[in-house]
Amino acid sequence: GEDVEQSLFLSVREGDSSVINCTYTDSSSTYLYWYKQEPGAGLQLLTYIFSNMDMKQDQRLTVLLNKKDKHLSLRIADTQTGDSAIYFCADITGNQFYFGTGTSLTVIP
Amino acid sequence: DAGITQSPRHKVTETGTPVTLRCHQTENHRYMYWYRQDPGHGLRLIHYSYGVKDTDKGEVSDGYSVSRSKTEDFLLTLESATSSQTSVYFCAIRGGRSDEQFFGPGTRLTVL
């Protein structure tokens, strides 16, 4: 099956940029997603990118997709303490979604 | 927020007992999913449904069964709970412009 990988932890200072990376193996994915999970809550969709795009910007969020290397990244500009959470990348292949292990982002005031 | 709820939100049970978790949606979406979330594993798919009475297995389906008799309800059953099934269970529906999933709030299940 599909294999989606992320680093487990990231720590940044408030106001800096955060970059969370993800690699995947299935090149047939139509969409790739970034979800955010706050403690004790379900996952919420942050943003997504269609597979024929290289970049998508949405306010403080920038998604970059390198299809050749099967690499996806999420950049959060001007990171705030409220951005502390776990971030999951995911893709869809057929009817199934595949999630990475999640990256725990800690923002230091 | 997508109309998706889970019940119960918390449950403690003993090994060998049956457990049923319920997912309810008000969005009339065709696809519904059950995942479990464990540290270091992210979300792993247990079962999903693509319509009433239509279900399929996911990556970690052993020990779990599902039923969907109505569009709005998707039930996950542990026939005989084991300690390895202690986890947080999330239900999701699929829809939206980018075919994304919307998640319920989760059920924390502890099997003693």
Side-chain angles (χ1 to χ4, degrees), chain A residues 15-96:
Chain A
D16 288 350
S17 291
S18 307
V19 179
I20 302 172
N21 295 300
C22 172
T23 59
Y24 60 97
T25 56
D26 191 337
S27 58
S28 67
S29 302
T30 309
Y31 290 99
L32 295 107
Y33 309 89
W34 283 104
Y35 284 86
K36 177 182 180 182
Q37 184 182 34
E38 297 185 354
L43 279 69
Q44 285 190 304
L45 181 70
L46 265 184
T47 187
Y48 64 91
I49 188 166
F50 190 51
S51 59
N52 69 352
M53 298 170 64
D54 298 323
M55 185 181 86
K56 180 180 179 183
Q57 190 145 2
D58 185 359
Q59 299 183 328
R60 292 191 298 122
L61 305 178
T62 303
V63 179
L64 295 178
L65 175 60
N66 181 327
K67 287 186 68 177
K68 174 176 171 289
D69 295 337
K70 299 188 180 74
H71 182 268
L72 181 73
S73 68
L74 173 70
R75 177 177 179 268
I76 305 173
D78 187 25
T79 312
Q80 303 298 305
T81 54
D83 295 323
S84 291
I86 301 176
Y87 292 81
F88 292 90
C89 62
D91 69 358
I92 176 172
T93 301
N95 291 324
Q96 296 196 23

Side-chain angles (χ1 to χ4, degrees), chain A residues 8 31 33 35 37 40-45 48-49 56 86 88 90 92 94-102, chain B residues 1 9 31 33 35 37 40-43 45 48 50 57-59 90 94 97-105:
Chain A
L8 290 180
Y31 290 99
Y33 309 89
Y35 284 86
Q37 184 182 34
L43 279 69
Q44 285 190 304
L45 181 70
Y48 64 91
I49 188 166
K56 180 180 179 183
I86 301 176
F88 292 90
I92 176 172
N95 291 324
Q96 296 196 23
F97 292 76
Y98 295 89
F99 289 82
T101 52
Chain B
D1 288 346
R9 294 292 314 280
Y31 287 88
Y33 298 77
Y35 294 91
Q37 183 178 23
H41 290 279
L43 269 74
L45 179 65
Y48 70 97
Y50 48 97
K57 294 180 180 180
E59 176 189 0
F90 287 100
R94 172 182 166 188
R97 292 181 301 171
S98 63
D99 224 8
E100 69 264 28
Q101 291 187 310
F102 302 96
F103 284 83

Side-chain angles (χ1 to χ4, degrees), chain B residues 47-63:
Chain B
H47 283 278
Y48 70 97
S49 169
Y50 48 97
V52 173
K53 291 187 171 50
D54 292 321
T55 65
D56 206 350
K57 294 180 180 180
E59 176 189 0
V60 291
S61 60
D62 287 349

Side-chain angles (χ1 to χ4, degrees), chain B residues 8-44:
Chain B
R9 294 292 314 280
H10 301 272
K11 186 169 182 67
V12 180
T13 191
E14 293 189 348
T15 298
T17 59
V19 176
T20 296
L21 308 183
R22 179 180 183 242
C23 178
H24 179 77
Q25 62 149 333
T26 58
E27 306 296 318
N28 203 35
H29 284 306
R30 180 181 169 198
Y31 287 88
M32 298 184 76
Y33 298 77
W34 276 109
Y35 294 91
R36 59 179 289 174
Q37 183 178 23
D38 304 288
H41 290 279
L43 269 74
R44 292 181 292 175

